[in-house]
Amino acid sequence: MKYTLRRFAKQSGFSALLLVLLLSFGFTQHARAQAVDTSGVVFSSAPATDAQAKDTAVKKKVDKPTEIVAAGETAAKNHEKPKTLWQIFIEGLVGGFAALIMPCIYPMLPLTVSFFTKKAGSQAKGIMQSLIYGISIIVIYVTLGIIITLIFGSDGLNSLATNGIFNIFFFLLLVVFAASFLGAFEIQLPTSLANKLDQNSDKGGLAGIFFMAATLAVVSFSCTGPIIGSLLVDAATKGEKLGPAFGMLGFSTALAIPFTLFALFPSALKSLPKSGGWLNSVKIVLGFLELAFALKFLSNVDLAYHWNWFDREVFLSLWIAIGLLMGLYLIGKIRFSHDSPLEHLSVVRTFFAIIVFSFVVYMIPGLWGAPLKSISGFLPPPATQDFYLSNNAGSGSGSANAEPVVSIKEKKYESLFLRGKHAGLNEWYDYDQALQVSKELKKPILIDFTGWFCANCRRMEQEVWSDKEVSKRLQNDFVLLELYVDEKTALPANEQYTSKFSGKKVVSIGNKNSDYEASKFNVNSQPYYVIVNARGDVLVPPQGANYSVDNYIKFLDSGKAAFEKNNGAN
């Protein structure tokens, strides 16, 4: 038993992290968005909710443009609806079941259950010991969740998870993990702690069982550590204060349930698939997926820091190449160093190969401008694409309506946001200029609080703004003001100031835009849409991400009607 534990402790098991990324970027994309921290500013993408602003915020006015920005970013409360403890528990449960099929945990199921049933002498005693073993696992992980919350708190975890530099680090880390999965090297844990706990497990009684559970937690950390870390960050930043503890409760429950159930029904162990080459295949596939998802973090940094080289077609080309290699591996055309010979394709392997190749085919038209709405939240903005087959896509150059004549000849900050432009739309990026344009054109202003790191913003733009009726209204009925809350470009020295709201120094364009959103609307989530008149008066309740086209059309129409009813700014 001890030898087996130590042996599997040496397996490179960071594949659990990939499954968490799949959950966070795919399954929970509807309720969750990415965030970014710049210079102490914490932002996050808004969930799909309507009319988030308070009535008191809606009634506020902006009398002087110079007094607009007067808020501290971190002092503002995040008004996106937090995940419930039940949601966090379910996510932890899914993550725990995912961790069970990792190479350093799955083979331990029959060994551990057999150990208890044989050592106990009777089935009843074996069941009791397995139950205590499962409870010990739960206690260990829940305690970890509580400790993490007490040490760091949600603000500390959020700052780490949303920092721009951390995105670079996370990209490099995932590349290292992917290389490990693919067989380049093995990542091993220190064995001293595992050996000490294993020695204490020989004591017998309840203490011995508890230390056995602790030994499993330590030697399997290479599998469970990444998924635990991601779950703790997500729970702390998107949920309640007890989120990390409930996340660990779900995670540990998923780990504990099989040990107890198989102790109750030991004959069911025979139905489990035997350990073998398929476990290494799981690692290889997850290695490909980890490498693909690592590119998302690199893309975030490229956009935020204006490197301007990781364009949409570059991103898609890399994903297509990775998908092709994964598909070829699944059908046995590629083998890695630790793979067993593949004599025939199983049904499950064939189905997975079909899914992978189908996804690759789906992505190929994106190289020529296809919107690829199902993965739009992952991709760089369409304006980063260099080539489109159609003339009505991309950054809008050539497809946009003629810009209305106004007294302002040069748009402030426009050169910074060329990679974020939208087809056919006439965007502005400075609040004061937008007010002036609104007065001259007698149109309401649609303020779009957005960000380079905001996945839900990209999804709204691809799924809602791309609709013909929505696009027509944005083109003809509104002055579109886009305020990027994570833009790092420094403000001129004479425009920098200390926030009256939080006392923090506002030094960048992103700081300024975030200040405005936080102080004016008591919200720091993105996307966030506000319709105002030329005086800055809010006309209708603002709203966040809602992927219903009909809802957004009603929102725009209500704002236009309110503007016309009040004769605009007059």
Side-chain angles (χ1 to χ4, degrees):
M1 178 70 177
K2 297 178 184 178
Y3 169 75
T4 307
L5 285 171
R6 295 191 185 104
R7 176 185 174 187
F8 285 103
K10 297 182 178 180
Q11 301 260 0
S12 59
F14 287 91
S15 50
L17 173 61
L18 198 285
L19 295 179
V20 172
L21 291 175
L22 283 171
L23 292 173
S24 63
F25 286 124
F27 178 72
T28 62
Q29 186 181 3
H30 293 274
R32 176 184 178 210
Q34 292 184 339
V36 59
D37 184 355
T38 58
S39 302
V41 186
V42 179
F43 314 109
S44 62
S45 299
T49 57
D50 297 327
Q52 296 176 358
K54 296 182 179 180
D55 292 338
T56 55
V58 173
K59 295 177 182 178
K60 289 183 180 180
K61 297 182 179 180
V62 178
D63 297 323
K64 297 180 181 180
T66 56
E67 295 178 356
I68 292 169
V69 185
E73 299 83 354
T74 56
K77 298 297 182 181
N78 190 338
H79 275 226
E80 70 173 290
K81 185 178 179 181
K83 291 182 179 179
T84 65
L85 294 177
W86 176 249
Q87 288 175 308
I88 294 172
F89 175 83
I90 293 298
E91 288 186 3
L93 197 69
V94 172
F97 282 128
L100 279 172
I101 64 172
M102 297 297 102
C104 52
I105 295 182
Y106 182 82
M108 302 308 300
L109 273 172
L111 294 175
T112 305
V113 173
S114 299
F115 176 80
F116 280 125
T117 55
K118 292 179 180 179
K119 180 180 178 180
S122 66
Q123 184 178 8
K125 191 174 181 181
I127 292 173
M128 179 58 65
Q129 290 183 350
S130 296
L131 184 61
I132 295 172
Y133 183 76
I135 293 174
S136 298
I137 291 175
I138 294 174
V139 170
I140 290 169
Y141 283 106
V142 171
T143 301
L144 173 63
I146 295 175
I147 291 174
I148 292 296
T149 302
L150 293 176
I151 294 176
F152 295 100
S154 59
D155 289 341
L157 288 171
N158 195 35
S159 297
L160 177 64
T162 60
N163 186 273
I165 296 177
F166 178 74
N167 276 265
I168 300 176
F169 171 76
F170 209 5
F171 161 73
L172 295 174
L173 191 65
L174 291 184
V175 171
V176 171
F177 290 164
S180 175
F181 284 145
L182 297 176
F185 48 83
E186 287 189 350
I187 301 176
Q188 300 181 3
L189 286 174
T191 58
S192 57
L193 180 59
N195 292 336
K196 187 174 182 179
L197 292 173
D198 202 20
Q199 292 173 2
N200 290 327
S201 68
D202 295 332
K203 294 181 178 179
L206 296 179
I209 296 175
F210 178 84
F211 281 113
M212 280 190 63
T215 302
L216 176 68
V218 171
V219 300
S220 65
F221 189 78
S222 59
C223 290
T224 61
I227 192 171
I228 289 172
S230 298
L231 179 63
L232 287 173
V233 170
D234 182 60
T237 58
K238 302 293 182 182
E240 304 286 347
K241 290 183 178 180
L242 292 177
F246 271 77
M248 289 299 94
L249 177 62
F251 181 86
S252 57
T253 299
L255 291 182
I257 285 176
F259 292 100
T260 304
L261 287 181
F262 285 123
L264 287 170
F265 308 101
S267 60
L269 288 170
K270 299 178 181 179
S271 63
L272 286 177
K274 294 182 179 180
S275 301
W278 69 274
L279 288 176
N280 189 67
S281 296
V282 170
K283 285 177 56 182
I284 296 296
V285 170
L286 292 178
F288 280 123
L289 291 174
E290 255 191 43
L291 187 59
F293 282 118
L295 298 177
K296 173 59 180 173
F297 296 95
L298 181 60
S299 174
N300 287 342
V301 178
D302 173 74
L303 289 169
Y305 288 91
H306 301 287
W307 293 349
N308 299 337
W309 62 269
F310 202 55
D311 293 340
R312 188 173 184 265
E313 64 268 30
V314 175
F315 189 101
L316 281 172
S317 297
L318 290 171
W319 267 30
I320 290 170
I322 292 171
L324 283 174
L325 289 174
M326 188 193 307
L328 292 174
Y329 174 79
L330 287 172
I331 62 175
K333 298 300 182 181
I334 297 176
R335 284 179 56 190
F336 289 85
S337 57
H338 300 297
D339 281 323
S340 303
L342 185 63
E343 298 179 357
H344 63 276
L345 289 180
S346 66
V347 174
V348 174
R349 200 175 185 115
T350 301
F351 283 163
F352 274 112
I354 292 173
I355 293 172
V356 170
F357 281 125
S358 298
F359 185 63
V360 169
V361 172
Y362 168 77
M363 288 190 293
I364 290 175
L367 295 174
W368 291 275
L372 306 181
K373 292 183 179 180
S374 63
I375 57 173
S376 59
F378 297 90
L379 302 177
T384 65
Q385 184 109 5
D386 291 332
F387 174 73
Y388 280 86
L389 281 181
S390 61
N391 291 326
N392 59 350
S395 65
S397 57
S399 65
N401 296 339
E403 294 189 5
V405 179
V406 294
S407 61
I408 301 174
K409 302 305 179 184
E410 182 178 351
K411 293 181 180 179
K412 196 173 183 180
Y413 307 133
E414 183 179 30
S415 62
L416 297 173
F417 302 106
L418 293 177
R419 303 182 86 209
K421 292 181 70 65
H422 312 290
L425 301 183
N426 182 25
E427 304 96 335
W428 296 82
Y429 307 99
D430 178 73
Y431 181 86
D432 293 331
Q433 284 191 340
L435 291 180
Q436 180 62 33
V437 174
S438 175
K439 290 178 182 178
E440 296 181 14
L441 299 181
K442 299 188 183 304
K443 292 181 179 181
I445 302 170
L446 173 65
I447 304 177
D448 171 26
F449 289 101
T450 185
W452 295 116
F453 283 66
C454 178
N456 277 0
C457 301
R458 303 293 86 77
R459 187 180 170 198
M460 280 291 296
E461 292 157 7
Q462 289 294 302
E463 295 188 15
V464 180
W465 283 20
S466 61
D467 179 80
K468 290 183 178 179
E469 290 300 316
V470 173
S471 180
K472 181 176 69 175
R473 286 164 170 79
L474 294 178
Q475 288 176 6
N476 302 325
D477 300 335
F478 293 89
V479 175
L480 179 57
L481 172 61
E482 293 209 291
L483 299 180
Y484 283 75
V485 299
D486 53 8
E487 174 54 44
K488 301 177 182 298
T489 302
L491 290 167
N494 62 341
E495 294 184 22
Q496 297 180 10
Y497 63 94
T498 300
S499 169
K500 296 178 181 178
F501 187 82
S502 68
K504 292 182 177 293
K505 187 74 173 178
V506 174
V507 298
S508 69
I509 295 174
N511 293 165
K512 177 180 177 179
N513 293 334
S514 177
D515 281 343
Y516 175 34
E517 183 184 18
S519 61
K520 174 70 173 178
F521 308 107
N522 201 26
V523 172
N524 67 355
S525 55
Q526 295 82 44
Y528 196 66
Y529 305 103
V530 186
I531 299 177
V532 301
N533 61 19
R535 291 198 306 262
D537 302 327
V538 179
L539 300 176
V540 293
Q543 69 174 30
N546 187 312
Y547 307 110
S548 167
V549 172
D550 291 338
N551 168 80
Y552 204 76
I553 289 175
K554 291 178 182 178
F555 169 66
L556 295 178
D557 288 346
S558 65
K560 180 183 177 182
F563 179 83
E564 293 175 345
K565 181 179 180 180
N566 293 282
N567 296 318
N570 297 325

